[in-house]
Every structure is written in structure tokens, then in C-alpha cells.
Amino acid sequence: MVKFIFKISDEKVDKMSSLETKTDVILIGAGIMSATLGTLLKELEPDWNVTVFEKLSKPGEESSNEWNNAGTGHAALCELNYTAEKQDGSVDISKAIKINEQFQVSMQFWSYLVNSKLIHNPQDFIMPFPHMSMVQGEENVTFLKKRYEAMSNNPLFHGMEFSDDPKKLMDWIPLIMKDRPLNEAIAATKSDAGTDVNFGALTRMLFDHLKTNNVDINYKHSVENIYRENDGSWKLKVKNTDNNKVESHSAKFVFIGGGGGSLHLLQKSGIPEGKHIGGFPVSGQFMVCNNPFVIEQHHAKVYGKAKVGAPPMSVPHLDTRYINNKKSLLFGPFAGFSPKFLKSGSFFDLVTSVKPNNVLTMLASGAKEMSLTKYLIQQVMLSKEQRMEELREFIPNAKSEDWDSVVAGQRVQVIKDTEAGGKGTLQFGTEVVTAADGSIAALLGASPGASTAVHVMLDVMNKCFPEHVEEWEPKLKEMIPSYGLSLLENPELLKEIQISTAKTLALSPISEKELVYG
């Protein structure tokens, strides 16, 4: 008997084992950004085929997870890094205005989803919480008062209060004021318009909705490669991690929303817009209170001022949170360093992100950011007791046995060449990189991120689907009444929106009397 042995190349085996599918839209990553974009697109184009790939076993497990971010509905009510003091001593609130308006867009869209019964029980993902800024020292108190004066006259920040009276502050933040020296210069601002947002819960709600809306959601599917076809579409090589089979999928439009993992996929796409961009990973850690008696003494999100050399994402804050329907108290974040771009990533993520086209950008950033590197090393070396000493700047009588540590999510800060900062400038915001023809977009960066997800995804849609924008406008205005308008320039519309969103999202009731603007 004669035996014939055929040797089949790995490439042919790969093609034989691949499942070839085509779709209209592919979303990579099952976080809040993909959930938001997918929901918007299905409302605007119900007949479009949308496919999602997520390498983990369920949605919202990385940056969107409730334990991996601060849960602050970033509306610039308390974050001092959004209001810089200028050389002439005045306070620039332009960035705060921009972020507040973007958060208002998110609130409108969430309200539409609740009113349309596409998601339910808003109290499961958003709760009303006072947002406060607290500073210590005469110089900082002076700055905070000037900030308050600049913001309180603005309709977006109406209702903000300021106090440097210890008795008033004891009423606002008793846990922070207890056992504090009476002669200490301390002040705070307070806004009752603040929120605590469980972005993990919201992400899961949105994906539950998408699942019932004919969206093909694939968990445990890792996108290994992405490249362009001759017809302009994008082909993805996707590995099913359950059985290690490789599938082939193509789409007219691809959104890369994989958190820290987005940079590698952007690089693999080969688009010119993705070149000369690097990433610097920063990890975080929070102290979590385990004493119910202490937890019950605080009910606010209180943001302090970042230390010199600290990145903006390391602004210290003492936060009341509701996680899994349980009241929690967290303090942090303490910055750290890991070469991973995701908590579930690889220790080689940073090294493999360095390419010939971005190596000079990365090296330039390294030379510029020596103070940040020193700060991160110091943070990594902190003992629990040293972290407790930082906590005691907020809670003077904090006891070590009442607090445990939890590792938060990974953030990858964008490094790129800019006109203002020169080569290798470290960015601390949220950025979208889009191909010139709009066929692919990738989300990079960090805060304010999730809070402005709707605004960011609307921007993606405007850039990537310009031919549809005009026909979509009536539906977009139904979902987001302020679409295309400035709320600052339309105070009556702002008033209507604040009243309606507060009612729909079961937040603190806002009366028209409270919204009379000067």
C-alpha cells in the first residue's frame, strides 16, 4: 500500500479554518465607548449589521468597570485641574465649560434611553452626589475663592457654594473636619448638581439592550490583526480564545475602543494618522474603607489639588460610591507603573508599542517627563502607612485598620508631537484618531473619558459618516435636544434640560426657582 502525504502550509490551514463574515460596522472592545457608539448607530440605522469583539468574558471589565475608575460624572464641578490660574491671577474656566456641556450631552442621551424604555432603573447606574473642591493653605484658599467667583456667575455652574467657615464645613464634610486644627486655612466649594456614575453597570445595560437589537456580540474573541482590503474595507483576524480557532471578519467601518489595547491595533491598521503616536501606561490604586461607621459619616465626592509633578489623573479625592447597591468610601488614586496597557494585558505591551515611526517621539517624551517618572517611582515605593498619611490630609483621624487597598484600572496616556508642546508631548485627555476617509477610528487617552462618551462618539460619527449627518439630524435632536447648540448661549434650553434629566434619571429634583439665572 502506498501512502501519500500532503504538507499544507500554515497560511492555507489558517484560511481553511477561518470563518469569513462581512458586516457593516465592527466595534472592538466592549466598554462604555463601544456601547455608546453601538447604541447611537442602532437608533439611527436599525438595519445596519453591527458586530462586537471583546477579548474578555463579559462587557465593561477594563477601564469602564466600577472598580477601575472614580465613578465621577465629570462635569468640572469639583476638578481643580480643569480651571487653571492664569499669569494675571484670573481663573480660566473655559475647559470646565467645555467638559460640563459635554457631560450634559451624556445626561440627555441617557434620559432618552430611559424614556424610550431601552434601559431601565437609572438609579442602578447614576446617583446624585454633592461634588466638592477642598483646599488647604492661604494661597490655595484665595485661588478657590477666585475660581468660585468665576464659575458661580455662569449658568452651567449655578448653585455652587463657597465657604471657609469651619462651622459650615463641619456641616458639609464632618468626617474631613473632625479633629482638624481650628486655625488651619481651609475652604471648599459645593455643588449639589454632581453625580456618581457606575459606568460598569451602564455598560452592561447598554450591551444587554444591543443584544436584543440584533447586534452580534462575541466575548472571548481577541483581534489579532487588522489590515485594509483593495475595496477599502477592513479585514480583521480574530482569535476565539475558547477554541483557538481563527476567524476572518470584514467591515466597511471599524471602531477601535479597546482602552489601552487600542494603540497596538491602531498601529497594525497602518493608517498615516496613527503614526508618530506613543503611549505611556499609568496604573492606579485606591484605599477602600472597610468600617461602616466611617463610611456613613461622608456623603460627597471631594477633590483636592494635585501635588507638584503629579499627573492630572492623580488628583486626590475622597469619594462616596455606590457599588453593587452598597455604599462605599474610596480615597486616591495613588499612581503606579506597569508596562501593561490593560489590567489583563501583557508585560510586553509598552515595549512592543515602540515602532520606528514613534521611537523619537517616545524618547523625547522620556527626556521631558523625568519629574513624572520620579513621581511614579515614589508612588510605587509608598508603604500602606505612607498612603495613610496622605489620606490623613483629608481625614485627620483615619486609622490604618479601617482601610484596604484595591488596584484600579490601567490608563495609557497619549504621547505625540504637538505645535504647542513640541516633540514627545504627553497628553492627559481623551483623543480620537480617525483615518482621512473615516473608515476607521480609534479612541486613546484617559479622563474625562466615560463621562463625555456621547459627545466623543457623536464626534466620531460626524467625522466618519459625514454623508449621513444631515439625514440623522432630526433623530439626533430627539435624542439630544441641545444637539448642535451651545447650552451656555441658550440658558432657557439649559434650564429645561436640567429639569427634565433630573426627573428622568431620578436625581435630586431641580425646581425652576433654583434655576433662575441672575
Side-chain angles (χ1 to χ4, degrees):
M1 184 174 71
V2 179
K3 294 183 179 179
F4 294 93
I5 300 175
F6 296 92
K7 185 175 181 181
I8 304 174
S9 70
D10 290 342
E11 183 180 356
K12 288 182 178 179
V13 170
D14 185 51
K15 287 182 179 178
M16 291 168 61
S17 64
S18 293
L19 176 65
E20 195 84 27
T21 62
K22 291 186 177 181
T23 189
D24 295 310
V25 173
I26 287 178
L27 308 176
I28 303 174
I32 188 62
M33 293 296 179
S34 290
T36 300
L37 181 57
T39 304
L40 282 165
L41 288 176
K42 290 301 285 187
E43 286 300 292
L44 296 165
E45 296 288 348
D47 296 331
W48 282 10
N49 294 316
V50 178
T51 301
V52 181
F53 295 112
E54 166 58 52
K55 75 173 191 174
L56 300 181
S57 60
K58 51 189 177 181
E61 284 299 283
E62 281 283 351
S63 296
S64 302
N65 186 271
E66 50 267 44
W67 285 108
N68 290 341
N69 62 68
T72 303
H74 285 292
L77 300 170
C78 57
E79 306 92 331
L80 298 178
N81 54 305
Y82 296 152
T83 49
E85 188 171 13
K86 296 191 286 188
Q87 287 188 342
D88 63 3
S90 63
V91 178
D92 182 2
I93 66 169
S94 57
K95 187 173 183 179
I97 290 170
K98 180 180 177 181
I99 290 173
N100 187 280
E101 287 203 321
Q102 291 176 1
F103 183 65
Q104 299 282 354
V105 170
S106 291
M107 296 272 278
Q108 291 172 70
F109 183 58
W110 300 339
S111 296
Y112 164 80
L113 296 175
V114 172
N115 284 328
S116 303
K117 302 190 185 314
L118 302 181
I119 61 175
H120 306 278
N121 304 322
Q123 66 275 11
D124 289 345
F125 76 87
I126 187 167
M127 299 276 286
F129 271 93
H131 279 198
M132 300 181 62
S133 303
M134 185 199 75
V135 297
Q136 302 168 63
E138 295 288 353
E139 186 177 333
N140 288 330
V141 169
T142 299
F143 161 74
L144 188 65
K145 191 167 186 179
K146 286 192 292 186
R147 176 184 181 270
Y148 161 74
E149 289 169 350
M151 296 181 77
S152 59
N153 290 321
N154 188 296
L156 291 168
F157 307 105
H158 179 81
M160 181 179 285
E161 299 177 72
F162 169 89
S163 182
D164 55 4
D165 178 4
K167 291 183 179 179
K168 186 69 172 179
L169 295 177
M170 177 62 81
D171 182 51
W172 285 356
I173 42 176
L175 185 65
I176 290 175
M177 292 302 295
K178 187 178 180 183
D179 297 334
R180 190 173 289 278
L182 294 176
N183 61 348
E184 180 181 1
I186 185 169
T189 56
K190 176 174 174 281
S191 174
D192 290 326
T195 55
D196 174 61
V197 184
N198 186 327
F199 288 106
L202 177 59
T203 300
R204 294 187 288 272
M205 285 182 185
L206 293 177
F207 272 103
D208 284 345
H209 162 64
L210 290 173
K211 189 175 181 180
T212 64
N213 209 14
N214 299 318
V215 172
D216 182 20
I217 305 173
N218 302 272
Y219 299 114
K220 296 185 179 180
H221 278 67
S222 175
V223 177
E224 304 293 301
N225 203 358
I226 179 169
Y227 54 93
R228 194 145 207 181
E229 297 276 63
N230 292 331
D231 64 359
S233 64
W234 291 93
K235 180 168 280 190
L236 278 66
K237 181 181 177 183
V238 185
K239 182 179 180 180
N240 183 330
T241 57
D242 260 345
N243 56 25
N244 288 326
K245 286 186 178 179
V246 175
E247 305 168 0
S248 184
H249 298 263
S250 64
K252 303 169 188 173
F253 171 74
V254 175
F255 173 67
I256 306 173
S262 293
L263 179 58
H264 283 102
L265 291 174
L266 174 63
Q267 292 173 334
K268 288 178 179 180
S269 75
I271 63 172
E273 295 80 3
K275 298 185 185 300
H276 307 289
I277 294 177
F280 185 78
V282 179
S283 63
Q285 191 173 91
F286 280 92
M287 303 297 288
V288 181
C289 186
N290 58 42
N291 187 331
F293 176 73
V294 175
I295 294 170
E296 284 304 315
Q297 295 178 61
H298 188 75
H299 189 82
K301 288 180 174 290
V302 181
Y303 274 57
K305 202 169 185 180
K307 293 186 176 180
V308 176
M313 64 172 289
S314 294
V315 172
H317 44 95
L318 181 67
D319 288 1
T320 300
R321 301 283 314 273
Y322 270 91
I323 299 176
N324 299 325
N325 296 316
K326 181 182 178 182
K327 188 177 182 181
S328 305
L329 183 60
L330 285 73
F331 175 76
F334 295 93
F337 175 77
S338 166
K340 291 183 178 183
F341 279 8
L342 294 164
K343 284 182 78 172
S344 61
S346 164
F347 285 106
F348 296 102
D349 283 344
L350 178 57
V351 173
T352 55
S353 74
V354 180
K355 307 293 182 184
N357 67 69
N358 72 1
V359 64
L360 293 179
T361 298
M362 296 286 282
L363 289 172
S365 178
K368 279 183 179 181
E369 301 294 342
M370 291 302 294
S371 61
L372 174 59
T373 303
K374 180 181 178 182
Y375 171 79
L376 291 176
I377 293 172
Q378 291 172 338
Q379 288 276 291
V380 170
M381 300 299 290
L382 289 177
S383 64
K384 179 182 178 180
E385 189 54 34
Q386 287 172 317
R387 292 191 176 99
M388 288 302 301
E389 284 304 311
E390 293 199 23
L391 170 58
R392 289 183 185 115
E393 292 183 18
F394 275 69
I395 307 175
N397 59 3
K399 298 177 181 177
S400 296
E401 60 266 27
D402 291 340
W403 296 82
D404 301 313
S405 295
V406 61
V407 177
Q410 286 285 111
R411 301 289 186 270
V412 179
Q413 311 295 154
V414 175
I415 299 172
K416 67 179 186 179
D417 305 333
T418 67
E419 287 187 17
K423 200 164 193 68
T425 303
L426 194 63
Q427 307 291 295
F428 288 105
T430 303
E431 299 205 16
V432 176
V433 178
T434 310
D437 66 353
S439 63
I440 189 169
L443 183 88
L444 306 172
S447 183
S451 298
T452 60
V454 181
H455 167 83
V456 174
M457 292 303 101
L458 287 174
D459 188 44
V460 167
M461 289 161 53
N462 283 326
K463 290 179 180 177
C464 298
F465 303 102
E467 70 278 13
H468 293 284
V469 171
E470 187 175 346
E471 65 184 90
W472 285 348
E473 189 168 325
K475 182 65 176 180
L476 285 169
K477 286 185 175 179
E478 178 191 342
M479 295 189 289
I480 303 158
S482 71
Y483 179 76
L485 299 172
S486 164
L487 286 173
L488 183 60
E489 295 173 5
N490 294 272
E492 288 300 317
L493 177 61
L494 171 62
K495 182 166 64 176
E496 291 174 16
I497 286 170
Q498 288 183 323
I499 292 171
S500 63
T501 56
K503 181 179 179 181
T504 301
L505 299 176
L507 304 175
S508 299
I510 300 176
S511 68
E512 289 201 34
K513 184 178 179 181
E514 291 176 299
L515 290 170
V516 174
Y517 303 130

